Amino acid sequence: MSLPSQIDKIELIDEGLANDLAAYGKRYRERTLKIAIWFVILGSITGGLLSSLIPIKLFVTLILGNLLVGWAYCHYLTIMLEKQFQTRNFNRLSSNLDRAILWSSVFYPITFFELSSCYLLQIKLLLTQGRCVELEALARMAWASHQNEAISVGVPKNSLLANALACSYLGQRRDRQAVSILENMLRVEKRKEIIRVLSVNLALCHIRLKEFDNATKVLEKHEKSLDKSPDMVQARLDLIQACINTQKEKYDLATEQIKQALVEGKNAKETIEFMAQCQAVLGRIRFGQGRVEEGELHFKTAVDMIRTNANPDFLTLAQILEEHAECMEKSGRNDESEALKAESHHCESLYLERELSKIDSIRSRIAQKNPTLMLTHIINKS
C-alpha cells in the first residue's frame, strides 16, 4: 500500500495558516458571545413588554409554541439533510447545511440532537468528498473557538474535535500526526463509544503505515470497548482484520472478513466510498490468490464506485489505482501497471489543484475584518 510520491508529507495548511485559523476561531467566539448577549438583552426586553400586555398564560403558550415550531423546523431540516446525504445529492446538502446549523444553534439546547446530526453530516460530507484540508481548517477554527484560545499546537481537549482533526490528517495521508492525536486521546478518554471510534481510527493509521502488529495490539488493548460494536464500527473492524490477514497471506479468512464488512456496511447504510475500499481489499486478496482477473474486476469496481461522486475523493482514487498498479506489476503486466500509475498521478494532480484553490479561498475569507455568522460558511461558501 505505497503512497503516491507527490502527496507524501505535504502539509497544505502550514504553520502560518494554522495560526491564522486559530486566531479567526477565537475572534469568532468573541463575536458570537457578543451576539448572544445582545440576543438575551433584547429577548428579555421584548418578553417583559409582551408579558405586561397579554395574560401570562397566553404569553407562556406563545413561548412554548415558538419553541415547538423551532424544534419541528430544525428536525425537518435534519431529516432532509440525511436524505440528501443518502441519495448523494452533495451539492444541495452543502448549501443547506449552514441553514440547518444556524437554526439548530438558535434553538439550542432543545435541538441538541439535530445540531449534533448536522455537525456529523458536515464531517461525513467532507470526508466522503476527500475535502480533508477543509475539514482540518474547520477543526482548527472550532478548536480555538471551543477553548477560547488562539491555539494551533497540541491536541484539542474535546474528544470529538480531536478525532475530526485526526481524520483530516488521515485523509491527507499524514498518518503519523493522526497517530499522535489518537494515542493522546485514548490515554484520557473514558467513554466507551468514543474509545471505539478513536481505537478503530488508530488501528487504521497503523494499517496505512504497514504497522500490522501495532494495529493488532490496538484492537487487543481495547477489546472490551470494541465488543458488540454497532454495524458501522464493526464493518471497519472487519476491514482492518481483513487487511491484517491479507498481509499474513491468510486469504480465505480475509475474504470472509471483508465480505462480512460489506454486509455490515450495507446494514449501516455506509458510504459508497467505504464499500469501494472493501472492494479494493478484495482485489488485493484475489491477486494474492493468483486470481488476477477477479482482482482486476474488484479494483475497477472500487474506482467506478468512487467516481459516482460528482466531487470525488481524488486522493483515495490515486491510492487504489496505485495499489492496482502494484498488483499488476507483481503479475508481470508492466505496461498496464505503468498506465495505472500515470492515472494515479493524474488524480494526485487533480487533488492538489482542488485543495490549493480551496486554501486560497479560505485565506481570503479569514482575512476579512468581521467573522462569518457560522464557521461552516468558510468552507461551504468558499
Side-chain angles (χ1 to χ4, degrees):
M1 196 184 294
S2 64
L3 300 178
S5 57
Q6 295 183 66
I7 304 302
D8 193 16
K9 299 181 181 179
I10 289 179
E11 294 187 16
L12 293 173
I13 294 183
D14 56 21
E15 183 180 353
L17 181 53
N19 291 334
D20 290 343
L21 290 166
Y24 185 90
K26 188 174 186 297
R27 281 196 293 130
Y28 170 81
R29 178 184 175 88
E30 292 168 351
R31 181 170 181 265
T32 302
L33 285 174
K34 289 178 182 177
I35 292 173
I37 290 170
W38 277 109
F39 184 81
V40 170
I41 292 172
L42 292 174
S44 299
I45 294 172
T46 303
L49 289 173
L50 285 175
S51 63
S52 65
L53 296 173
I54 61 176
I56 189 65
K57 288 186 178 180
L58 178 59
F59 175 72
V60 172
T61 301
L62 287 173
I63 294 296
L64 293 176
N66 284 331
L67 290 174
L68 181 61
V69 170
W71 172 83
Y73 179 61
C74 293
H75 190 67
Y76 160 76
L77 288 176
T78 304
I79 292 174
M80 178 183 70
L81 294 177
E82 291 279 1
K83 288 181 178 177
Q84 288 172 352
F85 185 82
Q86 292 299 329
T87 57
R88 300 175 69 78
N89 191 351
F90 295 144
N91 289 334
R92 290 287 300 278
L93 173 61
S94 184
S95 63
N96 290 329
L97 263 168
D98 286 333
R99 176 159 53 106
I101 291 173
L102 173 61
W103 283 108
S104 295
S105 299
V106 168
F107 288 98
Y108 186 86
I110 64 170
T111 53
F112 171 81
F113 293 107
E114 286 73 23
L115 184 60
S116 299
S117 295
C118 288
Y119 282 135
L120 181 60
L121 279 169
Q122 178 71 84
I123 293 171
K124 287 170 68 177
L125 173 65
L126 295 175
L127 289 172
T128 297
Q129 295 188 311
R131 295 161 58 192
C132 294
V133 172
E134 293 166 80
L135 178 57
E136 181 185 351
L138 183 61
R140 287 187 174 280
M141 291 185 292
W143 175 12
S145 176
H146 181 262
Q147 295 183 205
N148 195 24
E149 184 179 2
I151 186 169
S152 61
V153 179
V155 180
K157 294 178 181 178
N158 182 283
S159 297
L160 297 178
L161 274 177
N163 185 62
L165 186 60
C167 286
S168 76
Y169 289 158
L170 262 170
Q172 296 175 69
R173 305 300 181 256
R174 293 159 60 187
D175 303 307
R176 287 293 177 198
Q177 290 168 281
V179 166
S180 177
I181 290 177
L182 294 167
E183 286 181 340
N184 272 297
M185 294 310 302
L186 281 168
R187 291 190 190 102
V188 298
E189 185 58 56
K190 303 298 182 185
R191 291 168 291 178
K192 184 176 181 179
E193 65 275 12
I194 304 297
I195 291 174
R196 282 174 176 168
V197 175
L198 296 174
S199 58
V200 166
N201 285 339
L202 179 56
L204 282 170
C205 288
H206 287 306
I207 290 294
R208 290 256 293 272
L209 292 166
K210 297 187 178 181
E211 298 171 350
F212 299 99
D213 289 342
N214 287 341
T216 301
K217 289 176 184 177
V218 169
L219 298 184
E220 290 175 350
K221 182 178 180 179
H222 300 287
E223 185 177 2
K224 289 184 178 179
S225 296
L226 293 168
D227 185 43
K228 296 180 181 179
S229 295
D231 281 337
M232 184 173 289
V233 176
Q234 190 59 49
R236 281 163 173 75
L237 287 172
D238 284 327
L239 173 63
I240 292 167
Q241 293 287 7
C243 290
I244 292 171
N245 285 312
T246 299
Q247 189 267 339
K248 293 179 179 178
E249 298 185 1
K250 296 180 179 179
Y251 297 123
D252 290 340
L253 178 57
T255 299
E256 291 177 16
Q257 289 166 332
I258 204 64
K259 286 184 176 180
Q260 186 62 30
L262 284 165
V263 171
E264 291 155 349
K266 184 177 180 181
N267 292 339
K269 296 182 179 179
E270 260 294 359
T271 63
I272 288 178
E273 284 69 21
F274 172 79
M275 307 300 253
Q277 291 281 11
C278 292
Q279 289 290 335
V281 174
L282 263 176
R284 293 203 302 274
I285 292 170
R286 294 297 179 247
F287 268 96
Q289 292 173 319
R291 296 156 63 177
V292 175
E293 290 185 1
E294 290 180 58
E296 281 191 80
L297 181 61
H298 285 299
F299 274 118
K300 289 177 181 178
T301 299
V303 169
D304 289 342
M305 290 172 78
I306 292 178
R307 281 179 170 155
T308 61
N309 191 332
N311 190 16
D313 182 348
F314 289 118
L315 203 48
T316 296
L317 264 179
Q319 174 194 320
I320 291 174
L321 289 164
E322 181 81 5
E323 291 173 9
H324 190 183
E326 287 181 2
C327 290
M328 296 296 278
E329 188 173 6
K330 289 176 182 177
S331 300
R333 297 166 66 175
N334 294 328
D335 290 345
E336 291 164 280
S337 174
E338 290 302 317
L340 288 166
K341 287 180 182 178
E343 192 175 356
S344 173
H345 291 152
H346 177 63
C347 288
E348 294 173 33
S349 299
L350 291 174
Y351 164 79
L352 287 171
E353 181 182 343
R354 181 180 68 183
E355 298 311 306
L356 287 170
S357 173
K358 284 292 183 180
I359 287 292
D360 289 340
S361 180
I362 289 170
R363 285 184 189 276
S364 174
R365 283 186 172 273
I366 65 174
Q368 295 175 8
K369 182 178 179 180
N370 294 320
T372 56
L373 187 60
M374 305 294 297
L375 283 179
T376 50
H377 283 169
I378 298 293
I379 56 174
N380 289 333
K381 294 179 182 288
S382 63

